Amino acid sequence: SSSSSSSSTSASASSSSSASASSHHHTPTPTPTPAPPPVSSSILRSSAISANMASNKHDKYLSMEEMDVLSRQTGSANNLWYSYDWGSIHFTVMSSEHNFFEDSEQYKWVVRDLARVDRKVTPWLIFVGHRPMYSSNGAGFSDSMQSVYEHLFAEYKVDLALWGHVHGYERTCPVLKNECVSKFDKDNVVVDPKGTVHVTIGMSGKELAGKWDSHPKWSEARILEFGYTRISTAGGKSLHFEFTKNHDRSIADQFSIVKSSST
């Protein structure tokens, strides 16, 4: 997409496709339906965004066959880690349930995938996994994930990381090595952050997590409510993220990442 275009992803959205009428018979002709775009189904079954990370015209999970095709297209040995572009965003999806250490095929693939991202084409880079790298719930593989992947986040300037596993919502500051390296302002806007914002979005199914543990300084929002998330971008200039509650459709949390220049 061009820098002036916008794109959005929604965890729960639907709308009817537009139709064009014939100039002679005024017979509605359905607009051709594009092939369903890839959906991040390995983000975790509990993750709200996995319900529909595509567009307002599609509300489905990827089939195993579609995941196989997508994996082959991105050079993955199987359909458990893969990547895709949606508008101005590149999504890199890994599996925390399989070997992800430096000597693994998955790690080597992740490095290749991050290195090949053309930020002029997809200025936003989102990393997706199951068990969170940062969580104040005491779950996940935080230490291992940080030691293996966080230096890649810094090297390739990953803007946002989305996780599941914990049945709740948690957002960090732009963080690196457990330290807030940039700050959101009073309107939850951060300009040219020096770290990655991590968001756990496991609040879509089953029961919610019972409690949070300690409150680390990098944790800026923790909410135990069912809901879904939306992401929208304005080309390469800004990315807006919001978490909407199911029961009353109110926005429980939102933030924006702004870039003053191209990545």
Side-chain angles (χ1 to χ4, degrees), residues 238-258:
S238 65
L239 179 149
H240 184 72
F241 186 101
E242 62 182 39
F243 164 36
T244 301
K245 297 180 182 179
N246 271 357
H247 72 280
D248 62 3
R249 301 297 189 267
S250 64
I251 296 177
D253 185 49
Q254 61 182 324
F255 64 89
S256 295
I257 301 173
V258 176

Side-chain angles (χ1 to χ4, degrees), residues 132-177:
M133 182 181 293
Y134 284 89
S135 174
S136 61
N137 180 259
F141 298 144
S142 297
D143 293 342
S144 297
M145 290 291 292
Q146 288 177 35
S147 65
V148 175
Y149 284 106
E150 194 166 29
H151 72 97
L152 295 177
F153 285 20
E155 179 178 354
Y156 294 106
K157 299 181 180 180
V158 174
D159 300 294
L160 179 64
L162 301 177
W163 311 98
H165 193 63
V166 176
H167 292 189
Y169 175 92
E170 184 170 25
R171 170 176 57 84
T172 74
C173 59
V175 64
L176 181 63
K177 297 181 179 179

Side-chain angles (χ1 to χ4, degrees), residues 27 31 58 94 98 122-123 129 170-171 211 213 227 243 249 256:
T27 301
T31 301
H58 300 285
M94 62 88 69
H98 297 80
T122 52
E170 184 170 25
R171 170 176 57 84
K211 63 180 180 65
D213 295 329
F243 164 36
R249 301 297 189 267
S256 295

Side-chain angles (χ1 to χ4, degrees), residues 1 7 9 38 40 53 70 73-75 81-94 109-128 156-162 231 233 235 239 259:
S1 61
S7 61
T9 63
S40 173
M53 205 181 215
L70 181 60
Q73 289 175 344
T74 57
W81 45 89
Y82 54 90
S83 66
Y84 61 94
D85 295 336
W86 181 257
S88 58
I89 305 173
H90 180 83
F91 292 90
T92 298
V93 185
M94 62 88 69
W109 175 85
V110 168
V111 173
R112 291 196 303 269
D113 187 72
L114 295 176
R116 72 178 180 84
V117 177
D118 185 347
R119 302 302 282 266
K120 293 180 180 179
V121 177
T122 52
W124 299 101
L125 178 53
I126 297 180
F127 194 88
V128 179
Y156 294 106
K157 299 181 180 180
V158 174
D159 300 294
L160 179 64
L162 301 177
I231 299 171
T233 65
L239 179 149
K259 296 181 180 180

